[in-house]
Amino acid sequence: MLGGSKLISHFQWKELRNNLVRREWAFSFFHAGSYLTGTYHKDGSIDWNHPVPTEDKKKELEPKVHDLMLYHVYEEH
């Protein structure tokens, strides 16, 4: 998050589905003055809700969302 990249703030997540076939979570956060939401899938793929970020924004944000989901969902606290 050095080098001028903008932080994700107010990150929230909620489990939507957890069964043998699918596991997915809804997430939301603020970034650069925008409120973004989406669905995170167990395989690490992300479906963005409206407004869908540009491809460049996705490349910036998806690794951050992935790290936050790993921290909140998969790590023991």
Side-chain angles (χ1 to χ4, degrees):
M1 291 182 238
L2 299 172
S5 34
K6 297 180 175 101
L7 299 174
I8 287 177
S9 65
H10 297 89
F11 184 81
Q12 296 182 17
W13 60 274
K14 177 177 95 170
E15 191 168 62
L16 295 175
R17 184 167 301 154
N18 184 0
N19 59 44
L20 292 173
V21 177
R22 292 171 70 180
R23 191 163 185 206
E24 56 193 33
W25 301 263
F27 67 85
S28 64
F29 60 88
F30 286 92
H31 178 266
S34 296
Y35 180 70
L36 299 161
T37 64
T39 302
Y40 184 87
H41 301 275
K42 184 179 180 177
D43 67 0
S45 63
I46 295 173
D47 294 328
W48 293 94
N49 297 337
H50 186 75
V52 176
T54 64
E55 289 304 312
D56 286 342
K57 257 323 164 195
K58 286 181 186 179
K59 287 179 185 174
E60 175 188 349
L61 294 173
E62 288 182 357
K64 294 177 182 182
V65 171
H66 184 65
D67 288 346
L68 286 163
M69 290 302 296
L70 288 175
Y71 175 77
H72 287 294
V73 174
Y74 291 108
E75 289 188 8
E76 296 289 327
H77 294 281

